[in-house]
Amino acid sequence: MNVTDHATKHQQRMQKVKQLVDKKIAQANQERGIIVLLTGNGKGKSSSAFGMLARSLGHQKQCGVVQFIKGCWECGEQLFFSNLPGVHFHAMGNGFTWETQNIEHDRKAAQAAWKQSHKMLTDSRYGLVILDEMTYMFRQNLLDINEVTTTLQNRPYHMNVVITGRGAIKQLVTIADTVSEVKEIKHAFRSGIKAQQGIEF
Ligand code: ATP
Ligand code: MG
């Protein structure tokens, strides 16, 4: 095939792709916020959520973040985002971890985080609410999935929500609009390499 034939074939192929893409874009005509669920054992769930926080702030959206496990005070995302206007950042100061080993303490911490989340999810000023590491609350029965589902489904129509954490239960997958499972192929930690500032925290 000569160069001209190759260019013509390419142009025809791209024209077909464009027609398909344009058709799909035209079909996506609903205007409402979505629920994004990021789960799985690989690295990249919370950092993806914070990427969407940056994107939303770029569009001047009011954003809320609730972290459902023990707040990481030296975490880069908290140091950076919590001081920005337009972000309401709620990290569990002494919340749920495998370190507390106290179910009543964990339940109280989970309820406190949910109270914050509920406030945001019912406030139409928020364009994005991130519920970081929320999935664990259901595995441990620390929160009522029916109550959370009802609140999520009744949220202001334009509001986007991102939920992260491993092992998301089926009900969360059902109510989410976009679900990604991050799969671990390799992780440096398994080779004995310490957590990296700016990459891990
Ligand atoms: P990140 O915040 O980096 O996007 P994540 O939210 O996908 O990670 P979590 O399960 O919340 O992952 O884990 C929190 C911490 O553990 C982060 O510092 C993360 O980099 C690290 N981590 C994530 N996946 C793994 C893994 N498979 N093995 C070891 N450490 C991991
Ligand atoms: Mg995470």
Side-chain angles (χ1 to χ4, degrees):
M1 201 188 295
N2 65 34
V3 175
T4 317
D5 286 349
H6 185 76
T8 308
K9 277 249 153 58
H10 175 79
Q11 193 268 331
Q12 287 168 345
R13 250 196 337 264
M14 288 304 118
Q15 195 177 5
K16 275 193 189 146
V17 172
K18 182 171 162 43
Q19 278 169 359
L20 284 174
V21 172
D22 285 350
K23 195 173 160 198
K24 282 189 181 149
I25 292 173
Q27 280 167 349
N29 55 11
Q30 286 183 54
E31 277 194 41
R32 65 171 177 89
I34 61 165
I35 300 176
V36 178
L37 173 62
L38 303 170
T39 191
N41 294 337
K43 171 183 164 49
K45 302 175 291 295
S46 297
S47 40
S48 166
F50 288 106
M52 287 179 263
L53 176 58
R55 281 186 173 166
S56 300
L57 289 169
H59 293 289
Q60 278 78 48
K61 290 181 192 290
Q62 173 84 24
C63 301
V65 180
V66 178
Q67 291 191 305
F68 277 83
I69 60 170
K70 189 171 179 174
C72 164
W73 296 107
E74 71 277 24
C75 269
E77 62 267 31
Q78 186 167 5
L79 294 172
F80 182 75
F81 287 112
S82 62
N83 292 321
L84 293 185
V87 183
H88 179 184
F89 206 110
H90 179 87
M92 302 298 298
N94 52 354
F96 162 85
T97 69
W98 47 91
E99 281 161 3
T100 67
Q101 298 171 12
N102 179 332
I103 190 75
E104 267 322 300
H105 175 282
D106 289 351
R107 208 180 300 284
K108 278 191 189 136
Q111 288 301 333
W114 171 241
K115 202 173 158 194
Q116 289 294 324
S117 313
H118 188 273
K119 252 191 209 164
M120 294 174 185
L121 293 168
T122 51
D123 185 339
S124 61
R125 285 172 299 181
Y126 287 95
L128 173 73
V129 175
I130 295 178
L131 305 170
D132 193 32
E133 320 297 349
M134 193 200 221
T135 58
Y136 303 104
M137 303 301 109
F138 307 110
R139 289 246 163 237
Q140 308 269 334
N141 277 323
L142 297 172
L143 288 183
D144 176 4
I145 183 65
N146 295 325
E147 187 187 342
V148 172
T149 300
T150 304
T151 305
L152 284 169
Q153 286 175 329
N154 291 321
R155 74 192 189 282
Y157 82 97
H158 67 277
M159 186 187 285
N160 290 313
V161 177
V162 181
I163 301 171
T164 80
R166 301 176 187 205
I169 59 170
K170 219 170 158 188
Q171 290 101 311
L172 281 180
V173 174
T174 304
I175 59 162
D177 300 284
T178 296
V179 182
S180 295
E181 184 172 15
V182 185
K183 183 180 167 194
E184 182 191 323
I185 306 290
K186 268 176 125 177
H187 196 289
F189 183 67
R190 288 194 192 274
S191 316
I193 303 170
K194 276 188 166 181
Q196 304 290 307
Q197 193 179 51
I199 300 291
E200 250 80 51
F201 63 93

